[in-house]
Amino acid sequence: MKKILVSQCLYGDKPVRYDGKTKEERDPRFIRWKEENRLIPVCPEVDGGLPVPRTDAQRIGDQVITRDGRDVTKEYRRGAEIALERALQEEVLCAVLKEKSPSCGSNKVYDGTFEGNLIDGQGITVQLLREAGVRVYSEEELDLVEQMVTGRENIILTGMPACGKSVTGVVLAKSLQMNFLDTDLLIQEAAEKSLQEIINEDGMEAFKSLEEQVLCGVSASHTVIATGGSAVYYPKAMEHLKKLGRIVYIQVSVETILQRLNNITTRGVAMSKDQGIRELYEERRPLYETYAEVTVGSGSGSMEDTVADIIDKVSRLRQSFR
Ligand code: SF4
């Protein structure tokens, strides 16, 4: 059974927080994982050599500074390294860490003023875990963790326009008895007009801003999600999608794209006026590769081959993480 790295203060059993308390998580799913012995508790601050209780600290850039002005970055880094070592040793499925902490916060942290202001950001331990490829969730995202535990996570398709994300996605969803969602349709629904009309009437920047907003708001379970070709331009949205499921890149050659796209100017594609398909392809390809957990080829084989390839590779990926 695959383990989950968790913050000791969420796990309970011993007080490790700066104020000498715990924040024991009482969600029934968390309790079940604990009873299954799936959870591996760590407290990076205590493991890094800090006492309980201790002066509270906040992240300021790459440093962590206590309320009374002491630099404790070294202790925080040490604790983060111990947590990472543990995560890799145990080949954890993911980590569930306490939100807002300068070590364990995964979406929000305090801004360093000690005035209670939260900003988008992550703690030192979360940063290190993510850089090593470990998925990190907060205690507010247990739905997503449960999807991973039960193998009901989403499959997210990325790739160039005309690579076949939507058509492949429908067949894939049918084959796996999953739901299907096309984010281009969500954008059209939000704007009440076609993608091309949004670009023509509101401009490219407005289109991109809407697309990012829609992608960041996607919520789904056991669903194949076909994204627009420009999804990879938005790091925040891609981080969100990565949390939702497994990212699959459908790779096709630029020649195939050129054959399939008769007139790109009518398809609502996010590209500048002086850009051709080849330039667009070269610009986006490294981004698709960066985010992909699974890459499949499409173009030479049949669509059924592509679907079978996705099912095989995603299932092998899940096995290795179960
Ligand atoms: S470092 Fe993490 S585990 Fe330790 S008290 Fe802070 S939030 Fe909890």
Side-chain angles (χ1 to χ4, degrees):
M1 179 201 299
K2 275 291 178 183
K3 308 276 183 177
I4 301 172
L5 193 80
V6 295
S7 293
Q8 178 75 59
C9 56
L10 293 175
Y11 187 84
D13 288 3
K14 56 179 180 187
V16 285
R17 275 167 55 91
Y18 74 95
D19 56 6
K21 296 180 181 162
T22 65
K23 277 274 182 183
E24 198 168 337
E25 180 58 52
R26 302 307 305 164
D27 185 284
R29 292 164 296 189
F30 194 90
I31 292 169
R32 191 181 80 234
W33 301 331
K34 188 173 176 181
E35 287 167 357
E36 289 170 357
N37 286 325
R38 199 186 267 277
L39 303 184
I40 300 174
V42 288
C43 176
E45 291 168 28
V46 170
D47 292 341
L50 294 168
V52 182
R54 54 190 172 276
T55 312
D56 61 330
Q58 295 188 2
R59 201 173 167 175
I60 304 174
D62 283 339
Q63 291 179 301
V64 186
I65 308 291
T66 63
R67 182 181 286 274
D68 53 12
R70 217 159 27 88
D71 185 341
V72 283
T73 312
K74 204 168 81 188
E75 288 85 346
Y76 273 67
R77 289 239 173 88
R78 176 82 194 111
E81 282 160 12
I82 291 170
L84 175 61
E85 213 175 284
R86 201 71 208 282
L88 297 179
Q89 231 170 39
E90 300 281 351
E91 297 179 342
V92 295
L93 179 69
C94 64
V96 177
L97 302 184
K98 180 83 189 76
E99 193 62 289
K100 302 179 200 166
S101 148
S103 289
C104 295
S106 55
N107 299 300
K108 298 273 177 198
V109 288
Y110 288 104
D111 69 351
T113 61
F114 294 92
E115 286 176 0
N117 307 322
L118 285 169
I119 51 169
D120 288 346
Q122 57 190 358
I124 299 282
T125 298
V126 173
Q127 185 177 342
L128 197 67
L129 289 170
R130 283 184 172 154
E131 282 168 4
V134 179
R135 285 165 180 253
V136 185
Y137 300 87
S138 80
E139 73 277 19
E140 291 151 20
E141 298 172 314
L142 299 185
D143 285 354
L144 299 175
V145 181
E146 175 77 337
Q147 282 181 28
M148 287 187 84
V149 169
T150 56
R152 288 178 65 81
E153 3 161 37
N154 305 294
I155 296 176
I156 295 129
L157 304 181
T158 64
M160 282 289 286
C163 73
K165 296 180 294 283
S166 300
V167 182
T168 307
V170 171
V171 178
L172 181 64
K174 276 190 190 173
S175 306
L176 293 174
Q177 292 175 293
M178 294 173 76
N179 305 311
F180 176 73
L181 181 74
D182 187 324
T183 59
D184 279 351
L185 299 185
L186 293 183
I187 296 169
Q188 295 193 151
E189 201 179 301
E192 296 183 349
K193 47 186 148 183
S194 74
L195 299 182
Q196 194 58 52
E197 282 168 347
I198 304 170
I199 292 172
N200 293 347
E201 293 168 20
D202 307 332
M204 190 58 78
E205 285 317 304
F207 172 81
K208 285 185 166 178
S209 154
L210 179 60
E211 181 172 35
E212 181 175 22
Q213 193 188 322
V214 166
L215 290 171
C216 286
V218 170
S219 162
S221 164
H222 204 48
T223 299
V224 176
I225 303 170
T227 59
S230 42
V232 284
Y233 286 141
Y234 320 111
K236 200 171 162 193
M238 288 308 294
E239 280 310 316
H240 175 66
L241 292 173
K242 265 169 73 179
K243 281 186 175 185
L244 287 186
R246 302 291 175 189
I247 310 272
V248 175
Y249 167 34
I250 302 182
Q251 186 184 46
V252 287
S253 68
V254 70
E255 284 71 28
T256 306
I257 300 280
L258 284 163
Q259 271 169 20
R260 288 182 185 172
L261 276 178
N262 292 329
N263 187 0
I264 198 166
T265 59
T266 59
R267 283 191 56 130
V269 175
M271 61 194 290
S272 61
K273 285 196 175 71
D274 52 358
Q275 219 171 16
I277 293 176
R278 282 185 193 279
E279 288 82 21
L280 190 72
Y281 187 90
E282 287 312 320
E283 179 179 282
R284 290 186 182 180
R285 192 174 53 161
L287 296 172
Y288 295 132
E289 289 170 355
T290 299
Y291 290 112
E293 288 176 278
V294 163
T295 300
V296 294
S298 150
S300 50
S302 68
M303 196 239 292
E304 285 72 22
D305 290 340
T306 308
V307 168
D309 202 14
I310 296 174
I311 293 173
D312 177 51
K313 286 182 172 160
V314 169
S315 121
R316 277 197 273 141
L317 185 72
R318 280 178 176 159
Q319 293 296 331
S320 69
F321 277 92
R322 192 64 41 79

